């Protein structure tokens, strides 16, 4: 039902319910029968004389009545006012201001009536959350929420949702039962505030409480991530990441849930939206161990190509041809985590990884040099994990590092000096690691470069490599930072 027509239907139900609970009807009234306009005028004068709000006279009759229809009516009323609340995103509806103002006035008159209602925790909480971002009703929303927490004996919203301790049943199930009709594929776009309330509620419930509500929270998260709007995709991926981090792997592996989540996330790996990719890659990194565990449980034979291999190859392919600086920075920031996850198994990707490292070291990416700093961290992790293979790659890596150090030391652009110093320091650490893993070959190759270098600033960093004593490192020591 459209939000504009919902309140009128509720208004008629309020009058009907109030009449039944008040024990009066048109046939039972004393005095002559009046027409509808006359009855409305009389009722308006009675309300004005009593000094009550127009809503209060009807709500007072059933707020504490405990009848099932009254509870259903309150739920519908809370839903209608929630849909009339200001959404947390801009919209071009010219009548939004008037409608939201009217909803705010109605909401203010309901605060004292709903605060003590029993069995309506879900509708009341959603109503307060929907109006918390509205400047005209934020104070009343906080008052209603505080009153709800007091009635429930909770100290905070997370405790209200999940329970005081493990095993306690909070009100998340009731909140999700009330939100679920607004988060279906056919209805969720009609109430913009519902998705934000869902995301806010989900983020406040963590392990171990979230697992028992997995069947309720997973479908809306998948639905949001499947939308064509980027902002909804971002909300969906954030919700999925929270679920992945706070639900045990065994629960995610049941009923092929992890494969469903992986399919939903893998579609976004081809996106060119930097904001989406920034939250997507950490989410995928947390999902891959669970996905591989599920694959092993099903086949009992380790596959030759794991899901981590497939994702990493795809990321390297995108990095090689990516022209956007924002995406290059995001890919580079997440690359060290991939290398650490692979460990010694990164050797099977070493050839392609080396091409990406060399390509990113050649190109500056602005004053902060985020991409090159992250690539140097990637190279450092790679050397630590694959040091026996570094002799074969020494020539290419040494040339790339020296060329980058020369470009940075002779750079006259607006790059801050601390950033230049950080680049040169991390490149020097990589040279030291290369020297130790190749048994001193870097020192031999740098002798001619050091004597013919005319840049004193660069010579100071090369001297650090020359002065470091030659040492053959055992495997365990290479895994420590220089």
């Amino acid at each position: 039902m459209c939000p504009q027509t919902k309140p009128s239907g509720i208004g008629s139900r309020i009058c009907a319910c109030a009449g039944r609970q008040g024990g009066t009807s048109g046939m039972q009234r004393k005095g002559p029968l009046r027409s509808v306009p006359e009855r409305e005028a009389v009722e308006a004068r009675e309300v004005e004389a009593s000094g009550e709000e127009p809503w209060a006279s009807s709500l007072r009759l059933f707020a504490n009545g405990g009848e099932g229809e009254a509870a259903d009516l309150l739920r519908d009323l809370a839903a209608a006012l929630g849909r009339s609340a200001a959404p947390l995103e801009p919209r071009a509806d010219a009548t939004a201001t008037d409608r939201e103002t009217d909803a705010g006035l109605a909401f203010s008159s309901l605060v004292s009536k709903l605060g003590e209602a029993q069995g309506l925790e879900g509708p009341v909480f959603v109503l307060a959350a929907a109006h918390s971002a509205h400047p005209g009703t934020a104070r009343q929303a906080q008052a209603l929420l505080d009153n709800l927490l007091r009635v429930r004996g909770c100290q905070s919203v997370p405790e209200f949702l999940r329970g005081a301790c493990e095993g306690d049943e909070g009100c998340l199930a009731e909140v999700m039962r009330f939100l679920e009709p607004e988060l279906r594929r056919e209805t969720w776009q009609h109430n913009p505030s519902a998705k934000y309330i869902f995301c806010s509620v989900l983020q406040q419930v963590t392990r171990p409480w979230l697992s028992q509500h997995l069947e309720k929270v997973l479908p809306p998260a998948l639905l949001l991530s499947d939308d064509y709007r980027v902002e909804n995709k971002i909300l969906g991926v954030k919700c999925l990441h929270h679920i992945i981090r706070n639900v045990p792997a065994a629960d995610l592996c049941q009923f092929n849930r992890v494969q469903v989540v992986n399919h939903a996330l893998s579609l976004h790996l081809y996106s060119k939206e930097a904001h989406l990719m920034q939250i997507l890659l950490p989410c995928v990194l947390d999902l891959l161990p669970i996905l591989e565990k599920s694959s092993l449980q099903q086949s009992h034979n380790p596959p030759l190509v794991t899901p981590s291999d497939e994702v990493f190859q795809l990321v390297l392919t995108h990095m090689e041809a990516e022209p956007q600086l924002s995406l290059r920075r995001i890919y580079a920031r997440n690359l060290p985590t991939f290398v650490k996850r692979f460990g010694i198994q990164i050797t099977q990707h070493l050839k392609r990884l080396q091409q990406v490292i060399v390509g990113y070291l050649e190109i500056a990416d602005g004053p902060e040099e985020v991409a090159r700093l992250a690539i140097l961290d990637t190279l450092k992790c790679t050397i630590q994990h694959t040091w026996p293979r570094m002799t074969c790659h020494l020539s290419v890596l040494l040339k790339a590092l020296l060329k980058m150090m020369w470009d940075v030391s002779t750079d006259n652009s607006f790059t801050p000096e601390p950033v230049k110093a950080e680049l040169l320091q991390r490149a020097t650490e990589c040279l030291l690691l290369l020297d130790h893993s190749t048994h001193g070959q870097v020192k031999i190759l740098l002798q001619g470069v050091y004597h013919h270098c005319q840049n004193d600033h660069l010579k100071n960093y090369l001297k650090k490599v020359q002065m470091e004593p030659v040492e053959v490192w055992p495997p365990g020591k290479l895994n420590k930072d220089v």
Side-chain angles (χ1 to χ4, degrees), residues 54-216:
W55 293 83
S57 60
S58 296
L59 289 173
R60 177 171 46 80
L61 296 175
F62 66 83
N64 299 317
E67 294 188 3
E69 185 173 354
D72 293 339
L73 181 55
L74 276 175
R75 291 175 184 272
D76 293 343
L77 184 58
L81 291 178
R83 280 191 290 268
S84 299
L88 302 183
E89 62 181 2
R91 91 183 149 192
D93 187 357
T95 64
T97 301
D98 294 337
R99 184 170 68 251
E100 289 157 7
T101 302
D102 295 339
L105 294 175
F107 174 78
S108 300
S109 65
L110 284 174
V111 170
S112 60
K113 302 295 182 279
L114 291 177
E116 301 292 340
Q118 298 296 325
L120 297 174
E121 291 84 357
V124 174
F125 179 84
V126 173
L127 181 61
H131 284 267
S132 61
H134 194 304
T137 56
R139 181 176 57 82
Q140 295 93 332
Q142 187 60 45
L144 179 58
L145 185 59
D146 293 340
N147 195 25
L148 181 62
L149 295 179
R150 179 184 58 79
V151 171
R152 291 286 300 184
C154 300
Q155 301 296 323
S156 62
V157 173
E159 182 181 339
F160 167 80
L161 293 170
R162 69 192 185 197
C165 58
E166 185 176 357
D168 290 353
E169 289 190 8
C171 294
L172 179 60
E174 176 66 21
V175 172
M176 289 304 303
R177 191 178 302 114
F178 184 72
L179 277 177
E180 191 269 336
E182 304 290 337
L183 295 172
R184 294 172 183 167
R185 184 175 295 275
E186 301 83 9
T187 59
W188 73 273
Q189 299 189 42
H190 299 297
N191 186 3
S193 62
K195 60 186 179 183
Y196 295 103
I197 297 172
F198 166 71
C199 295
S200 175
V201 167
L202 179 63
Q203 297 293 329
Q204 298 184 73
V205 181
T206 56
R207 184 187 298 259
W209 295 275
L210 188 59
S211 59
Q212 58 184 325
H213 305 285
L214 182 58
E215 293 183 358
K216 292 290 185 181

Side-chain angles (χ1 to χ4, degrees), residues 362-382:
E362 291 177 350
I363 301 175
D365 65 305
E368 301 297 328
E369 294 285 4
V370 175
R372 287 211 284 197
L373 287 171
I375 285 295
L376 287 172
D377 288 339
T378 303
L379 177 57
K380 184 177 178 180
C381 295
T382 304

